[in-house]
Amino acid sequence: MSGPTSTDREKQPPLNGRRALPSNNSNAEENDVPEMDAFGLIPRGFNPKDYLRVVDIHMFKEPDEINKQQHHTDKYYNPKLIVRRGQPFQIQIDFSRPYEPEKDQIWLEYLIGRYPQPNKGTYIPILIGDVLKPGEWGAKIIHKENNSIRLSIMSSSTCIIGKFRFYVAIRTPYGIIRTHRNSATDTYILFNPWCQLDAVYLDDEKEREEYVLNDVGIVFHGDVNEVKLRSWSYGQFEENVLDACLFLMDKAELELSGRGNPIKICRVASAMINSKDENGVLAGSWDNLYAYGVPPSAWTGSVDILLEYYSSKQPVRYGQCWVFAGVFNTFLRCLGIPARLITNYSSAHDNNANLQLDFFLDDEGQVDNRLTKDSIWNYHCWNEAWMTRPDLPVGFGGWQAVDGTPQETSDGMYRCGPASVQAIKHGHVCFQFDAPFVYAEVNSDVIYSRMGKNGSQVIEKIDTTHIGRLIVTKGVGTDDMVDITENYKFQEGSAEERLALETAVMYGVKKQTTQPSTYQPQKDVEMDLQMQKAVLGSDFKVTIIFRNKSRNSYTATTYLSGNIVFYTGVTKSEFKKHSFSAKLGPLSSSAFDVMITSAEYLNDLLDQASFHFFVTARINETGKVLAMQKAMVLEIPILQIKTKGEMVVDREMSVVVEFTNPLKQALENVTLRLEGPGVLRTMKKEFRQIPATSTLIWEVKCIPKRPGLRKLIASLNCDALRHVYGELNIQIQKP
């Protein structure tokens, strides 16, 4: 390419002394490419029409044509050519006369960004050769007929991910003639999990179908004793979503030359998904007040969020962990990085990463909220992305934990990962990025202590198994829950687990290794806490069970505190206080019931309907304290979805959503949402009021666009009731 013309120079930003060209970090910006690059003075009689001319270019970019079929990109709702790197694709060029390789010199050019350079991979000239080398740029003729040639083009398996501009250049004695700028020939190049040379290569076809091509998934929530699930529409193939994902990298100002590296893309995206630092996609809100925004529980998928961000360029309100993780999953799958959403039950948010969560009790045995800074999330969702880690020793590739929820800063920004799951399991937390934080999320100990009389800290109980109790994800090709806890940690109490912990401590994870001398666990009395399952709006009972294993009679002063909590484990209000004296006979079990009525909790209930019960008991005869905590989630009623009429591509069908109000009060200002990738774009409807125990019916007409098994997902939201979902699998027939 020739140097910049004078008009170009005026547009160029001032150069700094360190680099010859400004940073090239926007896929959306372009430079002007001259259609005639003259070698010098052009003689008067020169007529470009005397030379070989390009008349037309065929990209074979329809969903049913060879390129999108072979590259698994036929589902993208996008008219342009989309291919995956490291795999050949075909185009056809029609010339003004038959092409003669002996006398005609032509080449292809792919450009990206405003300052294309060959050594940065942003300007790619391709000569036509005889063979294609695997994983390297090249082109060869596979068919010649009349004035046309059909080319097979191979892209590099480390190529930049993004949207490239395409030109054909023809050399004449007096200069280079190029095709003019034509956006119809723009080519998107994505990661390729089907290509063995790609850093994101995944060798199992079923896994590729799930982790790259499945556009709906499942979020597991609730808590470890009451796992709940809901569907989420990733919608990575929907219209404009691919452009929105590329815009995200532009907004983050990720240098184009770094966009072929999945590690860099994940790290930048984990900061861009939240709005904490650089006006990223989603603003988080955990305070149950969602003014001027959509409550996190109302979203049914990622598409609305990404498209709103793409058009407004401002953070979308509001997200909580599963929303950040859902949008992150869409971003990764859309670009071709295999990804899955995972849930960690009883997830530690450890403020000072010392592998222990400190709960301070006051004299009554209640948790002292002024001193207690750490919290246990009922569950926390993050993502795993599949890639090699050439920056780490062998063996740490595969699934990498990445988290878009803003919790703590990493290198000064709210981001987390990619951290090798294998490194976390073995305690090798020295390897980048943020492994100590993820290690703490799944491995911390819970320590209950209180201030002694002389101001010293007395440890009452250490619970080493409460955190990271269960880690799960959706099964491959099914909606089943798969337990992946052992990917993150060895069996509790095993020798390997202790070794992994010692390794983590050696690599600088802070932990008090010695058991404090003042700590003597209570052995002769055990306490357990059981809750009855309950539907929102009903009464239920909590049972405290003591097992006295000694030959002595004891009395235990017992204190139960029931709190309404955010799913992050932070308390909003205490709604139940109950204390009693329990008589414990020798070698016997005793059970004590405490009734909880709906009137006690309904007014303060938060959107996840979570309770947290704390029980402390002091054995009066020995002065020992027993402490225990348990989370509980109420059953929330579901939405019913039905369909009417035949379900055929391009024919109108009806979807009906029904809901019965379970509460003894009317629901005000209710919002319903319904979506289904390939069937209907998100629809919203507001209802002023649903009286107590009455049923609402909403019918929607739609025209499905894609055949096969699809999923409809609905949510209902109002101040008194959130996290109400429904879903339905439907089979759309071909016409």
Side-chain angles (χ1 to χ4, degrees):
M1 291 178 63
S2 67
T5 57
S6 60
T7 55
D8 252 6
R9 281 204 194 95
E10 286 150 28
K11 277 194 292 194
Q12 283 193 2
L15 300 181
N16 65 27
R18 269 188 52 221
R19 42 162 75 157
L21 272 178
S23 56
N24 196 14
N25 54 20
S26 168
N27 193 160
E29 292 187 4
E30 303 186 3
N31 60 329
D32 294 325
V33 179
E35 287 183 31
M36 175 77 192
D37 245 347
F39 296 144
L41 291 174
I42 298 176
R44 241 196 218 125
F46 173 78
N47 180 0
K49 292 202 166 68
D50 298 344
Y51 299 91
L52 185 70
R53 234 176 43 252
V54 174
V55 177
D56 202 1
I57 301 173
H58 305 274
M59 305 299 285
F60 307 117
K61 57 190 182 180
E62 292 307 311
D64 52 358
E65 289 183 298
I66 182 164
N67 289 330
K68 283 187 173 167
Q69 284 292 322
Q70 289 190 344
H71 287 253
H72 307 93
T73 56
D74 53 306
K75 289 202 175 107
Y76 285 90
Y77 200 91
N78 184 315
K80 300 198 160 108
L81 178 60
I82 305 172
V83 295
R84 298 187 186 275
R85 65 186 191 177
Q87 180 179 335
F89 59 95
Q90 296 181 15
I91 65 166
Q92 180 179 314
I93 306 175
D94 300 346
F95 295 108
S96 50
R97 59 168 172 75
Y99 165 72
E100 299 169 39
E102 299 74 47
K103 83 173 209 208
D104 297 324
Q105 205 186 341
I106 71 164
W107 63 91
L108 316 173
E109 295 177 330
Y110 284 94
L111 286 75
I112 188 167
R114 177 133 178 234
Y115 307 102
Q117 282 174 281
N119 61 346
K120 297 269 196 196
T122 48
Y123 167 67
I124 304 154
I126 306 168
L127 294 169
I128 293 174
D130 302 328
V131 286
L132 293 181
K133 289 195 197 129
E136 290 180 29
W137 280 104
K140 71 169 189 184
I141 296 175
I142 51 173
H143 188 67
K144 238 169 118 170
E145 194 174 315
N146 302 334
N147 297 353
S148 303
I149 58 171
R150 195 183 254 233
L151 294 171
S152 178
I153 302 170
M154 170 74 84
S155 62
S156 155
S157 56
T158 58
C159 166
I160 291 168
I161 300 308
K163 181 163 125 183
F164 288 80
R165 314 193 294 286
F166 173 67
Y167 299 90
V168 180
I170 298 172
R171 188 187 178 99
T172 72
Y174 304 107
I176 296 162
I177 302 174
R178 274 191 191 84
T179 48
H180 56 267
R181 171 82 184 97
N182 175 8
S183 66
T185 60
D186 287 352
T187 303
Y188 292 89
I189 301 184
L190 307 181
F191 287 104
N192 193 351
W194 284 264
C195 166
Q196 292 194 356
L197 298 169
D198 197 310
V200 303
Y201 172 65
L202 185 59
D203 61 352
D204 182 311
E205 177 59 24
K206 290 247 179 311
E207 291 187 2
R208 292 188 293 241
E209 282 173 15
E210 179 67 55
Y211 298 137
V212 185
L213 301 179
N214 195 349
D215 55 2
V216 291
I218 286 181
V219 175
F220 294 97
H221 58 117
D223 79 67
V224 69
N225 306 306
E226 188 71 31
V227 169
K228 292 186 150 36
L229 67 164
R230 53 164 299 192
S231 289
W232 186 266
S233 160
Y234 296 126
Q236 66 266 38
F237 306 120
E238 301 299 300
E239 196 172 4
N240 295 328
V241 168
L242 176 53
D243 290 320
C245 292
L246 298 180
F247 164 70
L248 227 73
M249 294 193 283
D250 284 1
K251 188 99 158 73
E253 298 185 0
L254 173 57
E255 187 73 44
L256 286 169
S257 58
R259 293 190 194 184
N261 181 344
I263 304 167
K264 280 193 174 161
I265 285 182
C266 282
R267 183 126 179 93
V268 162
S270 92
M272 270 316 291
I273 295 292
N274 68 71
S275 63
K276 275 282 205 224
D277 307 291
E278 55 303 270
N279 259 347
V281 181
L282 268 164
S285 173
W286 281 268
D287 59 8
N288 214 45
L289 304 168
Y290 307 117
Y292 313 112
V294 175
S297 55
W299 301 112
T300 47
S302 312
V303 178
D304 295 351
I305 297 169
L306 282 165
L307 295 188
E308 183 182 324
Y309 183 68
Y310 184 37
S311 66
S312 75
K313 320 275 188 268
Q314 290 302 314
V316 177
R317 296 187 272 209
Y318 289 100
Q320 285 173 11
C321 71
W322 71 95
V323 188
F324 291 108
V327 172
F328 205 163
N329 223 47
T330 299
F331 171 85
L332 294 166
R333 287 186 185 180
C334 184
L335 296 184
I337 299 173
R340 61 189 188 183
L341 188 151
I342 74 122
T343 301
N344 175 32
Y345 285 101
S346 298
S347 190
H349 186 163
D350 175 5
N351 272 26
N352 52 357
N354 64 346
L355 279 202
Q356 60 184 47
L357 295 172
D358 294 303
F359 285 84
F360 297 102
L361 307 173
D362 61 17
D363 297 339
E364 308 256 76
Q366 269 188 289
V367 172
D368 186 328
N369 284 327
R370 284 173 318 130
L371 295 174
T372 305
K373 293 281 180 281
D374 293 337
S375 66
I376 302 174
W377 295 36
N378 284 2
Y379 65 92
H380 179 45
C381 300
W382 61 78
N383 306 79
E384 290 178 353
W386 180 271
M387 66 193 72
T388 56
R389 289 297 300 265
D391 56 327
L392 303 184
V394 172
F396 294 116
W399 289 117
Q400 311 292 315
V402 289
D403 192 345
T405 301
Q407 295 190 79
E408 298 291 331
T409 55
S410 164
D411 301 333
M413 288 170 89
Y414 281 91
R415 57 183 167 196
C416 177
S420 162
V421 173
Q422 184 71 347
I424 290 160
K425 177 170 183 170
H426 291 274
H428 290 265
V429 294
C430 51
F431 297 130
Q432 55 194 24
F433 296 89
D434 307 313
F437 184 76
V438 183
Y439 186 87
E441 285 183 305
V442 300
N443 282 308
S444 296
D445 292 345
V446 181
I447 297 190
Y448 299 94
S449 54
R450 59 187 173 83
M451 287 302 180
K453 291 280 179 284
N454 56 359
S456 66
Q457 196 174 327
V458 181
I459 292 188
E460 296 287 8
K461 181 179 176 191
I462 297 180
D463 186 343
T464 57
T465 61
H466 189 85
I467 298 298
R469 204 80 75 77
L470 176 66
I471 304 169
V472 299
T473 189
K474 172 188 177 306
V476 172
T478 73
D479 284 356
D480 299 345
M481 177 177 90
V482 175
D483 181 345
I484 56 166
T485 315
E486 64 172 32
N487 293 7
Y488 280 84
K489 50 209 278 195
F490 291 101
Q491 206 59 47
E492 291 280 357
S494 66
E496 296 97 334
E497 187 212 13
R498 302 289 5 128
L499 181 61
L501 175 66
E502 284 162 28
T503 311
V505 170
M506 174 178 82
Y507 283 128
V509 170
K510 302 190 282 287
K511 184 174 174 64
Q512 294 176 336
T513 41
T514 53
Q515 288 268 349
S517 52
T518 53
Y519 175 58
Q520 283 142 349
Q522 167 69 42
K523 289 277 196 304
D524 49 1
V525 179
E526 288 176 352
M527 178 172 75
D528 194 17
L529 182 59
Q530 291 180 349
M531 289 105 147
Q532 187 184 355
K533 282 198 174 184
V535 178
L536 185 81
S538 64
D539 306 346
F540 61 95
K541 69 173 193 259
V542 175
T543 306
I544 300 156
I545 299 161
F546 292 99
R547 276 185 284 284
N548 181 356
K549 302 197 294 198
S550 74
R551 300 186 176 281
N552 312 322
S553 289
Y554 289 132
T555 52
T557 302
T558 310
Y559 183 92
L560 170 93
S561 159
N563 300 279
I564 287 175
V565 292
F566 296 96
Y567 81 98
T568 56
V570 176
T571 300
K572 177 193 179 198
S573 62
E574 185 178 47
F575 69 90
K576 182 78 174 177
K577 275 186 181 158
H578 184 75
S579 50
F580 59 93
S581 182
K583 292 197 167 31
L584 313 180
L587 299 174
S588 66
S589 291
S590 332
F592 301 88
D593 289 344
V594 181
M595 275 313 288
I596 311 281
T597 66
S598 62
E600 291 176 297
Y601 67 76
L602 263 182
N603 287 339
D604 278 336
L605 204 57
L606 291 168
D607 55 5
Q608 302 248 352
S610 318
F611 296 135
H612 193 242
F613 289 100
F614 246 112
V615 182
T616 42
R618 183 182 285 108
I619 309 291
N620 297 331
E621 289 74 5
T622 64
K624 283 274 158 57
V625 173
L626 300 167
M628 180 150 203
Q629 57 176 316
K630 236 183 199 176
M632 169 185 173
V633 186
L634 291 173
E635 288 280 325
I636 297 176
I638 59 171
L639 291 173
Q640 297 292 337
I641 307 181
K642 300 173 189 154
T643 56
K644 279 178 133 158
E646 52 173 9
M647 297 181 278
V648 183
V649 170
D650 289 333
R651 291 197 202 146
E652 189 175 77
M653 59 176 277
S654 284
V655 179
V656 181
V657 182
E658 289 188 9
F659 177 73
T660 304
N661 177 3
L663 300 184
K664 304 183 179 89
Q665 64 190 64
L667 298 176
E668 313 274 339
N669 301 327
V670 178
T671 307
L672 275 180
R673 278 172 180 257
L674 174 68
E675 79 166 288
V679 183
L680 70 140
R681 285 300 277 277
T682 309
M683 316 269 286
K684 264 172 46 179
K685 185 151 175 71
E686 318 264 337
F687 293 86
R688 282 286 310 281
Q689 195 186 50
I690 312 174
T693 68
S694 73
T695 299
L696 143 168
I697 296 175
W698 176 37
E699 184 168 337
V700 172
K701 300 249 190 291
C702 63
I703 298 173
K705 289 288 173 228
R706 284 201 218 121
L709 186 65
R710 313 301 311 160
K711 197 179 275 261
L712 298 171
I713 306 170
S715 78
L716 173 142
N717 236 48
C718 61
D719 286 345
L721 202 54
R722 304 198 196 279
H723 284 275
V724 178
Y725 304 111
E727 59 185 74
L728 181 67
N729 288 324
I730 56 173
Q731 189 73 40
I732 305 287
Q733 307 298 331
K734 291 188 168 136

